[in-house]
Amino acid sequence: MRIKFQEKTIEARLAALQRWLQREIDGVRPDAGAPELEVFRQEFEEGMALHDAWRPGQAVVEVSPNGRRTFLRSKTGDAIDLEVSGLPKHRLVRLQFDLILGGNWHPCDRKAGPDLFRCRIAGARSLVHASFCTTNRGWPSQSFPKNHPLIPDDHGNREDGLSGSREHQTLGYDNDAVYSFDFHVPHERDELRIEFGALFGELDAKLPQWFGIDHLRVTVLPDFVEREPVE
């Protein structure tokens, strides 16, 4: 009984920690009167040379089969980083980007899953650390739009596959989905490192998973206000 009590206590503390992290992510908004200054923007074009701020690993600029999008595509789950330096004085960073998922991202409840995408600001917290599923539309197969639980509850299955996606099967691949993100993050350093990456339970033999980044924009604001707590 003592062991079971300790396990429940640890699970409760980790669950509380995850709720706190989520509140931290959602807990600020820009001051309505604060000016917003753009410090980096990237729209990808075929054949272009990447800006020096990118640390793309093996990622390549790719045009979708139907020509609708040109974006930075990772090789499977290899990390893609962006480093922006010389930022003006600020207290808040706004990060906007489109995430493109390709291949068969597996459901959490299969041996091959879960398949996770992550985005974080170095020295801060994870903005996204969620499981996604592109194969089980209409079934509870992923954690997104919630982050994947620190201790999986029923393997993290909480949302239907493709929940939160803006587009599905619009780019001409055998399987693709597009998500849009917009974050406000407390930040005061003069340099910013954004890290994108993925962790797959197992690569799909038929359609290996991969991700891509598009329409990326970074702005800074001099101040922010705390959101009113929700009772």
Side-chain angles (χ1 to χ4, degrees), residues 29 77 113 129 152:
R29 59 182 173 83
H129 185 87

Side-chain angles (χ1 to χ4, degrees), residues 177-214:
V178 179
Y179 298 78
S180 294
F181 293 94
D182 188 345
F183 297 107
H184 291 90
V185 185
H187 184 277
E188 298 185 18
R189 299 179 182 178
D190 63 357
E191 59 183 23
L192 175 71
R193 181 184 179 96
I194 305 167
E195 302 170 353
F196 306 96
L199 179 63
F200 304 130
E202 181 179 302
L203 280 179
D204 188 87
K206 183 180 179 181
L207 292 175
Q209 307 92 309
W210 54 267
F211 74 90
I213 302 297
D214 193 16

Side-chain angles (χ1 to χ4, degrees), residues 101-205:
L101 302 185
N104 289 336
W105 286 60
H106 298 122
C108 297
D109 58 355
R110 292 187 182 176
K111 184 178 179 180
D115 291 335
L116 305 173
F117 171 77
R118 62 174 177 79
C119 171
R120 68 182 296 267
I121 290 180
R125 57 183 176 268
S126 292
L127 303 177
V128 185
H129 185 87
S131 58
F132 292 81
C133 176
T134 60
T135 60
N136 268 24
R137 190 170 195 173
W139 290 87
S141 310
Q142 65 180 44
S143 69
F144 188 80
K146 304 181 184 73
N147 278 338
H148 197 69
L150 297 172
I151 294 181
D153 177 13
D154 189 24
H155 300 282
N157 293 0
R158 297 175 183 271
E159 305 293 336
D160 290 348
L162 294 168
S163 289
S165 62
R166 198 179 78 187
E167 304 173 21
H168 180 229
Q169 297 297 83
T170 59
L171 303 181
Y173 296 98
D174 289 333
N175 202 4
D176 59 70
V178 179
Y179 298 78
S180 294
F181 293 94
D182 188 345
F183 297 107
H184 291 90
V185 185
H187 184 277
E188 298 185 18
R189 299 179 182 178
D190 63 357
E191 59 183 23
L192 175 71
R193 181 184 179 96
I194 305 167
E195 302 170 353
F196 306 96
L199 179 63
F200 304 130
E202 181 179 302
L203 280 179
D204 188 87

Side-chain angles (χ1 to χ4, degrees), residues 33-128:
E36 191 170 348
L37 177 64
E38 183 176 284
V39 294
F40 190 86
R41 177 192 287 266
Q42 185 72 78
E43 301 291 343
F44 297 98
E45 298 177 6
E46 185 177 9
M48 69 177 292
L50 284 177
H51 192 282
D52 290 343
W54 287 103
R55 305 293 182 269
Q58 298 184 48
V60 295
V61 175
E62 177 168 303
V63 181
S64 65
N66 61 13
R68 284 194 58 185
R69 275 187 185 258
T70 304
F71 60 96
L72 185 61
R73 172 177 168 170
S74 74
K75 293 293 185 181
T76 63
D78 290 348
I80 298 175
D81 295 346
L82 176 69
E83 296 181 359
V84 184
S85 58
L87 300 181
K89 188 176 180 181
H90 65 282
R91 295 190 65 207
L92 192 70
V93 162
R94 183 180 185 183
L95 170 63
Q96 299 166 279
F97 66 94
D98 282 354
L99 168 67
I100 301 165
L101 302 185
N104 289 336
W105 286 60
H106 298 122
C108 297
D109 58 355
R110 292 187 182 176
K111 184 178 179 180
D115 291 335
L116 305 173
F117 171 77
R118 62 174 177 79
C119 171
R120 68 182 296 267
I121 290 180
R125 57 183 176 268
S126 292
L127 303 177
V128 185

